Amino acid sequence: MKYIVWKIAPGVFQLPVSWNELLVVFHGHDLIKFNPPIWFLLALFNCNILFYLIHFLREKHLPVMFAVTILIGCAGFYLGKLQIELPLYIDVSMTALPFYVAGFWIRRYNFFLYPSHRFDKLIPFFVVLLCKKVKKIKVVSYLGRYSIITLSIHGPILHFLGPLVSRYIHNSWAQASALLLITLSICLLLTPVFLKVIPQMVAQKDLLKVKQDHTKKTVYED
C-alpha cells in the first residue's frame, strides 16, 4: 500500500519499506504506532485466555484462584513499571486480569445494584434510552453491528490517508472533516467485503467449531 501511495504522491512515505513492519505485532508495543485499536483486541483476547486458565481453580480452590489472579496482576503492573514489554501485549493482559475477574464476579452476583433506590442508576437508564433512539439511524446501526471491522481497519486507513490528505488540504478542520468522511466511506464499502470473504476474522462465524455436549447437567447445591 505504501508503494501504491508513493506512486500517486511521491515523498509521502519513506521507502523502501522494511519487512520488519509486517512483524510489528511481535515487537513489544510497537503495534500502537501503526494500528492503535488492535492492541486492545490483542490484550483482551489474551486476558480471556488467562481468565479461562485460572478459572479452572474455582471449583475446588477458589481462594487460590483469587490469589493467583492478584499475583498475575501485580506481575503485569511491575513489568509495566519497569518498562519491560512482552509480545502481543501479554503484560497489559496480566495487569488487566484482576479487573476482568472482578467484573465477572460482580456481574454474576450483582451486589453493586443494591440498594434499589440509588439515584445514579438514572444515568445508565438515560443512556440506554438515548441509544435506542440513535440505533434507528441506518448508518449508525450498520457500523455498530459490525463495529469490530471499523475498529480494526480505520487505523491503517488513517495511516495512509493522513499524509495524503495533508498534502492537498492544509486547513486542520478541513483535513479532519475530509479524513472522517473518507474513512467512514471506505469502512462502509469494505464491511460487506470482509463479511463475505473472511467472516471468521470479523466475529461473524466461528473460527473453530466446538461440539457442545448437551447431555451434561450442572447441579447447584444450596
Side-chain angles (χ1 to χ4, degrees), residues 10-160:
V12 171
F13 292 108
Q14 185 178 357
L15 297 176
V17 179
S18 172
W19 284 102
N20 289 334
E21 291 186 20
L22 297 178
L23 303 175
V24 70
V25 67
F26 299 106
H27 298 168
H29 292 180
D30 286 349
L31 180 64
I32 202 166
K33 301 174 186 176
F34 292 87
N35 194 358
I38 296 298
W39 77 265
F40 168 74
L41 292 178
L42 285 172
L44 182 60
F45 176 78
N46 289 323
C47 194
N48 270 278
I49 299 299
L50 288 172
F51 172 77
Y52 282 116
L53 288 175
I54 67 161
H55 222 60
F56 283 115
L57 298 170
R58 74 187 185 278
E59 296 293 339
K60 297 180 180 179
H61 308 285
L62 191 62
V64 176
M65 187 203 78
F66 285 114
V68 171
T69 298
I70 294 171
L71 184 64
I72 292 173
C74 291
F77 172 78
Y78 279 104
L79 283 172
K81 195 171 183 179
L82 297 171
Q83 297 184 340
I84 299 174
E85 298 176 351
L86 299 182
L88 302 172
Y89 292 86
I90 294 174
D91 51 316
V92 179
S93 305
M94 293 168 65
T95 308
L97 183 64
F99 301 96
Y100 192 98
V101 172
F104 172 83
W105 287 92
I106 289 170
R107 180 177 179 271
R108 186 170 183 176
Y109 293 105
N110 294 328
F111 51 75
F112 273 177
L113 296 181
Y114 304 100
S116 58
H117 61 269
R118 284 173 51 175
F119 291 105
D120 55 358
K121 289 184 182 179
L122 293 175
I123 297 174
F125 183 73
F126 173 76
V127 171
V128 170
L129 289 178
L130 181 64
C131 290
K132 284 185 177 181
K133 296 293 183 182
V134 173
K135 77 174 184 179
K136 293 180 180 179
I137 304 172
K138 289 185 177 181
V139 174
V140 175
S141 62
Y142 185 78
L143 287 173
R145 183 179 179 184
Y146 305 115
S147 59
I148 192 170
I149 301 176
T150 304
L151 175 74
S152 302
I153 66 175
H154 81 273
I157 292 171
L158 288 171
H159 179 70
F160 287 102

Side-chain angles (χ1 to χ4, degrees), residues 12 160-170 174-176 178-179 182:
V12 171
F160 287 102
L161 280 180
L164 197 59
V165 169
S166 63
R167 189 181 179 90
Y168 300 102
I169 302 176
H170 304 293
Q175 281 182 22
L179 284 171
I182 297 171

